[in-house]
Amino acid sequence: MRIELTNKEFRRLLDLVYIGNWVLNSTRGDDRFQDYDHVENKLFALCAGTPMQALTEPYEGLWYPSRAYTEGGIHEAIAYYEDYVFFQILAEEMSKRDMDYPAITEENYEELMERMEQYMQEFEASGIEKLRLED
């Protein structure tokens, strides 16, 4: 297979692969999906000897994202996504709790969405500062 990409497109592809592999493997410890690591290594190896050399570094015969790459803003993009997903899930779970955990149907879907929107507005304004756990 042959794919032709501009340098900018290739750089975006590296970001997509890195983010995807992060989502799949960052929490798996020793039980990583090695085939995704392999694809990531293969793509970052293509940076060696090019103007993108700073994005990669060798370790034990494989090419990995360099420290410059991983500290260059990619994790801020991941954190932004994680925050969004966290608040969406929290809003949904709290809304379902408020509704006594019904099966979501066409009849109560609108109410769920309205409750979620209220929570999301509060989270946008205050984050988790106003959240309290009670016994």
Side-chain angles (χ1 to χ4, degrees):
M1 175 183 291
R2 182 178 172 89
I3 300 173
E4 296 207 18
L5 302 171
T6 65
N7 283 341
K8 183 176 182 178
E9 290 168 334
F10 183 69
R11 178 64 167 83
R12 299 297 179 255
L13 180 61
L14 291 175
D15 291 346
L16 291 169
V17 168
Y18 182 85
I19 290 168
N21 197 27
W22 177 267
V23 169
L24 289 169
N25 277 324
S26 66
T27 62
R28 298 189 60 84
D30 292 335
D31 191 28
R32 293 177 66 87
F33 294 115
Q34 297 295 323
D35 49 341
Y36 289 95
D37 285 335
H38 174 75
V39 170
E40 182 184 80
N41 294 146
K42 198 170 186 178
L43 287 174
F44 275 88
L46 295 174
C47 296
T50 75
M52 292 189 216
Q53 173 77 37
L55 303 178
T56 191
E57 56 192 30
Y59 178 74
E60 295 185 359
L62 296 173
W63 290 88
Y64 292 90
S66 67
R67 186 176 200 155
Y69 176 83
T70 61
E71 294 178 356
I74 195 74
H75 283 276
E76 285 80 1
I78 293 168
Y80 180 84
Y81 169 78
E82 289 171 340
D83 285 348
Y84 179 81
V85 170
F86 168 76
F87 285 117
Q88 280 291 125
I89 292 169
L90 184 59
E92 182 175 355
E93 291 303 315
M94 292 176 74
S95 297
K96 287 177 181 176
R97 178 207 58 196
D98 295 348
M99 296 169 65
D100 292 325
Y101 299 103
I104 303 305
T105 64
E106 197 172 298
E107 288 78 31
N108 64 13
Y109 181 77
E110 186 68 29
E111 179 184 355
L112 175 67
M113 292 295 108
E114 288 171 10
R115 288 175 182 268
M116 286 178 63
E117 180 58 30
Q118 289 173 346
Y119 278 117
M120 288 303 291
Q121 288 174 2
E122 181 61 37
F123 296 149
E124 286 176 23
S126 305
I128 60 171
E129 291 302 314
K130 293 183 179 178
L131 287 179
R132 301 288 179 262
L133 296 177
E134 297 177 3
D135 269 34

